[in-house]
Structure formats: C-alpha cells, structure tokens
Amino acid sequence: MQTIIQNREIPVVGQYDTVVCGGGPAGIIAAIAASRGGASVAIVERYGFFGGMATAGLVAPISVFNYNGRRVIDGIPWEFICRLADIGGAREEKPLGNISFSPEKYKLIAQRMLLEAGVRIYFHSYLSDCKVSGGRISHVIIENKDGAEALAGKYFIDATGDADLAMRAGVPMQPVSEYLQPASLIFMLGGVDTDSLPMLRHSRQGVNYHDLKIREVFEKLRENDPSIPVFGGPWYCSVLEDGVVLVNMTRRYADMASNGEQTETECIMREDVYRFASLLKKYIPAFADSYLIATAPQTGIRETRRIKGAFTLEGRDYVNAVDFPDSVSRGCHPVDIHAASSTGQRCEFLKDAAFVPYRCLYSPSFKNLLVAGRAISADPVASASLRVQAACMGTGQAAGAAAAMCCGKDTDVDQVDTDELRSILISYGTNLTK
Ligand SMILES: Cc1cc2nc3c(=O)[nH]c(=O)nc-3n(C[C@H](O)[C@H](O)[C@H](O)COP(=O)(O)OP(=O)(O)OC[C@H]3O[C@@H](n4cnc5c(N)ncnc54)[C@H](O)[C@@H]3O)c2cc1C
C-alpha cells in the first residue's frame, strides 16, 4: 500500500491526572470514580452524548446487577441507575436487576453526573493517536472541529470498547477469535401493542428472553424466501413509553474494528431493518400499526479487540465463580455467544456471580494505562458475559478508583495495592464476597 508521511505540530490543550477515552457505560463510571477519588479527569467521546452502546447503539436493557436477587454490582453504577429512575428514566426488573431505560434520559443523567463530579468533557472528539515512550503514554491525540489536539495525562483509561487507545499504544491483543460475535443494528418502533408482548419484562433468572413465537414465524418465512436476512432473537425492550420498543434482530458477521467492513455492514443492515420492520408489521399482530421511529446512530458491536493483560480471565474460572485475591468486580449475566451466520445462540448460565481480577485491566508492559469495559483481558467465553453493561460499569468503577489511587501515590498501575483498592470499592458498595 502506498503511504505518506505527515509531520504536524499539535497544541497541548489540557493536562489531567487521568484521561478517560470513551464515554460508554465503562467510561462514564470510570471518569466519575477517578474524579471522586481526587484526580483531575477529562473524558473524550466521539459523539455529542454519553452512553456508548446504550444510546448510540440503542442497546437495551442494561444487564444485570443481581445474582439470585442479590445485588453484586453496586456503588457508582447503581447510583447512576437510581438517578435515572428519579427522573422516570429507568425501571428495575427483579430478581435480575435488569434495567429497562430511556436512552434520552440516560444521556442527560450521564452528563449531569460527570459535570457534577468536575470531569472536563471533550465531546465530538475522536481519539486518533497517542504518544508513548518507555511503556508510558504521555498524551492522547484527539481530532475535532478545532483540528488535532493533545491531552497530557499521568494515567489513561481506555474505555473505547474496541481498545482503540491500547491498540494505538502498542499493547498486545488477544488472538483474534475464529468467529467474532455478529453485529446488530437495533431499531426503534412506535405504534406497537406493547401490552400483548410477553417478553417485554425480563423478570426471571435462567430465561432467554427472545420471543419464540415471532422467531417461529420468521423461520418459516425464511424457509420460503431465503432472501430474508439471517436474524437473531428477536428480543425487544421497553424505553418506558407506551407503544415504543427497541428491536434487536438484525445480525451480520463483520470485523467491526475495520472501517471498510463497518461501513459496508452499516449500509446492509439499514436495508435489513427496513425489511424486518415491514415483515413484523405484516405478520405479527402486535406490530400491525407499528412504524419505524429510528435506527440506532451506529450498528451495535458485540466483539472486537481485547487486550492481552497481566492475566486473562478464562471462561471455566468465570462460570465457576473462582474468586481471586485481587478481584475488583463481578459479572452475573450468562455467557451469551451469538452465532455469526445463523439464528443460533449459546447461552450458559453461571454457577454464581463471577469475579474479575484487577490484573485483567492492564498490560504488564504499560505502566500508566488501564482498560475498562468490553476490551478487558478475557477469553471469548468470559468476555461473552462481561461485555454486558452492568459488568462494564463495574470494571469502569474499578479502573477509575485504581487510577485515582495511582495519582495519589504516584505509582504505576501494576504496583497498586489491591487490598486497598478492594477496600475502596467495597466502601463504594461493590459486593466482592461470595
Ligand atoms: C446487539 C447488541 C445487543 C446487546 N445486548 C445487551 C443487553 O441486552 N444488555 C447489556 O447489558 N448489554 C448488551 N450488549 C453489550 C453492551 O451494550 C456493550 O458490550 C457495552 O455497552 C460495552 O460497554 P463499553 O463501555 O465497554 O463500550 P461502549 O458501550 O462501546 O462505549 C464505548 C464508547 O467509546 C466511544 N469511542 C469508541 N472509540 C472512540 C474513539 N476512537 N474516540 C472517541 N470515542 C470513542 C464510543 O462512542 C462509546 O461512547 C449488547 C451489545 C450489542 C451490540
């Protein structure tokens, strides 16, 4: 491939104790935790709103805070849910601690809590590069309307979901899975008879909430017309408004960390949405009067890059809830692996709420970088549970608290006293006992 060299001077527009890249579930909570821990914090987000997959991908519900009715992911993540519920933007479904929510109210509460915590927000800013020397990141480079800008930081948290910062810094990544989980473009329908949708409330543990009746109809339709795209679920979720649902049923295999594949997938799936929306209207009575309100601003991404950290959490340990001396967060969602090119799904329920060791959040060769959310160091099985939003918030809280500790003690991320970190997280409300 032909290449060009372009040298440019980039202004350093800010200097912070901690720079969080990505404002999804992990990044929001990481930035609040770091700021409350005493660090000066900036958060960089490519869109003009927070929430990541929850808002830009219209991915709902927020799964899950509880195991057997006991809340295990707690602290700032749960405070966020309570703040959302206070303005009518969240509804808890027990015993799972599954949260149906309003994406618009989510954006508002996220930005309020970050501003209240004193976090400096850089919206519409794309993380494009970083400056590294001797295993330390000194700056991230962001691109926005003002051009390229550099933010200096003592510590960095990669919460981009795709490990964009870690990848640009040169952190080793997990080997690419043979089959990445598929991408799905979620769409919002109005005019739906929501009272007649049995799977709209996710209130029982050990149940897969796809709608088997609709699935059967679509399987038959596909038998007769193979041009109907492969679908998943379907799952639907309330946005707490009568007649309005988010539908999760499109699916396409793609490497969503490749811009070419992402672009192509986005275009194909927008066609798929139109097809599915019209088929739902035609064949499913509850959708007879439905109309398309919106497709998500971006296609939902289940799986891309994950770092190879100081420790890689394996599915076997995860499912069996093996506890670690440095456990800093939990996961309670089943291992949820969607087949890339069929309607299939592997769903394995956990023996107990799983544990996440701190060592999954950093690479041994990078001294001031933590990773939170979907891209932490886990194998495809453990990751297939840890990728859900409450678990991402949990690792965000751990990374934020750790970054603040590092700032306070001027220490490297791999030198953190994990007993002290665990005490801080327990004082926030995290449940780290079996
Ligand atoms: C179809 C689908 C269904 C799902 N179903 C559920 C479900 O039912 N329940 C559940 O809890 N979870 C579900 N998930 C998983 C969950 O939504 C995500 O895994 C989770 O949101 C990941 O959180 P995160 O904070 O790590 O990353 P993200 O939510 O992806 O957030 C990353 C943030 O970083 C920003 N960003 C990324 N790159 C850059 C960059 N270079 N520069 C600046 N900003 C950047 C993004 O804009 C985004 O705001 C589903 C996912 C998909 C795709």
Side-chain angles (χ1 to χ4, degrees), residues 22-27 44-47 51-54 59-63 125-127 159-161 164 184 186 248 298 300-302 372-374 387-390 392:
V44 174
E45 169 53 48
R46 68 178 150 181
Y47 297 127
M53 284 300 137
V59 167
I62 300 172
S63 318
S125 296
Y126 199 92
L127 166 83
T160 60
D164 278 11
S184 296
I186 298 193
N248 173 358
Q298 72 151 88
I301 302 174
R302 289 188 177 85
R374 182 163 63 79
R387 67 187 179 84
V388 297
Q389 296 174 49
C392 290

Side-chain angles (χ1 to χ4, degrees), residues 20-28 44-47 49-64 98-99 101 106 122 124-129 141-143 158-165 168 182-186 202 235 237 248-250 298-303 305 333 336 338 372-376 383 385-393 395:
V20 178
C21 297
I28 296 164
V44 174
E45 169 53 48
R46 68 178 150 181
Y47 297 127
F49 54 87
F50 292 113
M53 284 300 137
T55 53
L58 291 178
V59 167
I62 300 172
S63 318
V64 288
N98 217 44
I99 311 294
F101 65 95
Y106 188 121
Y122 289 86
H124 302 293
S125 296
Y126 199 92
L127 166 83
S128 62
D129 207 351
I141 314 299
I142 60 175
E143 309 273 346
D158 183 338
T160 60
D162 298 318
D164 278 11
L165 175 57
R168 284 173 171 87
S184 296
L185 179 57
I186 298 193
H202 313 81
W235 300 268
C237 190
N248 173 358
M249 69 182 295
T250 64
Q298 72 151 88
T299 293
I301 302 174
R302 289 188 177 85
E303 187 175 16
R305 293 182 282 252
H333 191 68
D336 183 7
H338 298 256
R374 182 163 63 79
I376 67 167
S383 170
S385 164
L386 277 172
R387 67 187 179 84
V388 297
Q389 296 174 49
C392 290
M393 288 179 174
T395 55

Side-chain angles (χ1 to χ4, degrees), residues 46-187:
R46 68 178 150 181
Y47 297 127
F49 54 87
F50 292 113
M53 284 300 137
T55 53
L58 291 178
V59 167
I62 300 172
S63 318
V64 288
F65 288 86
N66 297 353
Y67 191 85
N68 275 346
R70 186 172 72 129
R71 194 176 311 127
V72 290
I73 300 173
D74 210 329
I76 301 170
W78 191 252
E79 184 187 331
F80 174 77
I81 300 301
C82 293
R83 289 283 300 268
L84 200 49
D86 285 348
I87 61 162
R91 181 183 66 210
E92 182 186 3
E93 292 158 344
K94 290 179 175 160
L96 292 167
N98 217 44
I99 311 294
S100 292
F101 65 95
S102 148
E104 283 309 315
K105 288 177 179 162
Y106 188 121
K107 294 175 190 171
L108 184 68
I109 292 300
Q111 101 187 13
R112 270 192 196 159
M113 284 183 71
L114 284 158
L115 289 169
E116 285 164 11
V119 175
R120 169 71 158 89
I121 297 171
Y122 289 86
F123 270 157
H124 302 293
S125 296
Y126 199 92
L127 166 83
S128 62
D129 207 351
C130 62
K131 196 164 160 38
V132 187
S133 78
R136 300 193 89 85
I137 300 174
S138 59
H139 300 80
V140 289
I141 314 299
I142 60 175
E143 309 273 346
N144 55 38
K145 285 281 185 191
D146 296 326
E149 297 181 326
L151 302 179
K154 290 187 189 151
Y155 300 90
F156 295 84
I157 299 176
D158 183 338
T160 60
D162 298 318
D164 278 11
L165 175 57
M167 189 270 292
R168 284 173 171 87
V171 172
M173 295 290 151
Q174 298 286 340
V176 180
S177 307
E178 200 181 344
Y179 298 107
L180 292 169
Q181 291 206 46
S184 296
L185 179 57
I186 298 193
F187 53 104

Side-chain angles (χ1 to χ4, degrees), residues 27-39:
I28 296 164
I29 304 297
I32 296 170
S35 190
R36 289 190 188 172

